[in-house]
Amino acid sequence: MSAEMAEQMLRRRGVTVSSIADIVFTLQQRYHPALTMAQCEESVRAVLGKREVQYTLYTGIALDELAEKKLLPEPLQSIMEQDEPLYGVDETMALGVTSIYGMIGLTSFGYLDKEKIGIIEILNSRKDGIHVFLDDLIAGIAAAASSRIAHRNPDAVKYTD
């Protein structure tokens, strides 16, 4: 798999790099006033370039698609169709993505999981498919890309001993 394949899979499910970058921009612009959308898109692509992210994305999307085709065994099929609130496997997978750039990703993911901004809200509210995994994976990718930008912020205070 490659970052290009990951982008293709996302587009097939109605998600673009720029829609994820919009979330990253929202998370980071207050701390990084000179931030551009191009930097946000580059950061999203850097996260998508990680093989472990690609594998997680592939697995989550495959499970969503299998559920749409009603190919999962019960009770998993019903859990996915209902987007059962206590089913936390989707968040667990996304948390693996958030940790790539440190703990800040975890707090950003928690915020996005509750607030459901941008494409995350669109996926979460769509009734024309199952996006149990995808909405959380997008939150994880956005949180990781946001963390990556935070770690690279040239304006961050540097402490020395």
Side-chain angles (χ1 to χ4, degrees):
M1 196 162 168
S2 66
E4 293 80 25
M5 283 181 67
E7 282 190 50
Q8 288 173 2
M9 289 175 64
L10 288 170
R11 277 193 304 274
R12 190 179 78 234
R13 300 295 289 175
V15 179
T16 62
V17 167
S18 63
S19 66
I20 303 170
D22 285 339
I23 298 167
V24 174
F25 188 80
T26 299
L27 290 173
Q28 282 297 309
Q29 79 178 90
R30 134 202 260 185
Y31 308 106
H32 197 306
L35 185 65
T36 67
M37 282 300 296
Q39 290 171 308
C40 295
E41 289 179 6
E42 188 274 325
S43 195
V44 169
R45 285 192 170 96
V47 171
L48 291 174
K50 299 233 177 239
R51 192 174 310 169
E52 63 194 289
V53 173
Q54 296 165 14
Y55 292 160
T56 304
L57 191 60
Y58 180 76
T59 302
I61 289 174
L63 287 167
D64 284 347
E65 291 176 340
L66 288 169
E68 287 174 353
K69 295 174 184 173
K70 299 190 180 300
L71 294 174
L72 295 174
E74 288 296 345
L76 184 56
Q77 181 67 43
S78 295
I79 290 167
M80 294 282 288
E81 288 174 0
Q82 297 301 312
D83 197 0
E84 172 62 45
L86 292 178
Y87 181 73
V89 178
D90 47 341
E91 282 89 359
T92 302
M93 282 178 57
L95 285 172
V97 173
T98 67
S99 65
I100 293 171
Y101 292 99
M103 288 303 294
I104 189 174
L106 178 63
T107 58
S108 294
F109 174 77
Y111 171 77
L112 293 173
D113 190 42
K114 290 295 177 197
E115 294 300 316
K116 308 233 185 278
I117 62 173
I119 189 67
I120 300 166
E121 172 59 31
I122 293 167
L123 290 170
N124 194 58
S125 61
R126 280 177 52 184
K127 302 297 180 211
D128 63 335
I130 294 176
H131 303 96
V132 170
F133 283 89
L134 186 58
D135 63 336
D136 291 306
L137 291 172
I138 296 307
I141 291 165
S146 175
S147 299
R148 181 178 180 273
I149 288 171
H151 281 280
R152 294 166 177 248
N153 185 350
D155 298 327
V157 176
K158 307 253 188 299
Y159 297 96
T160 59
D161 39 282

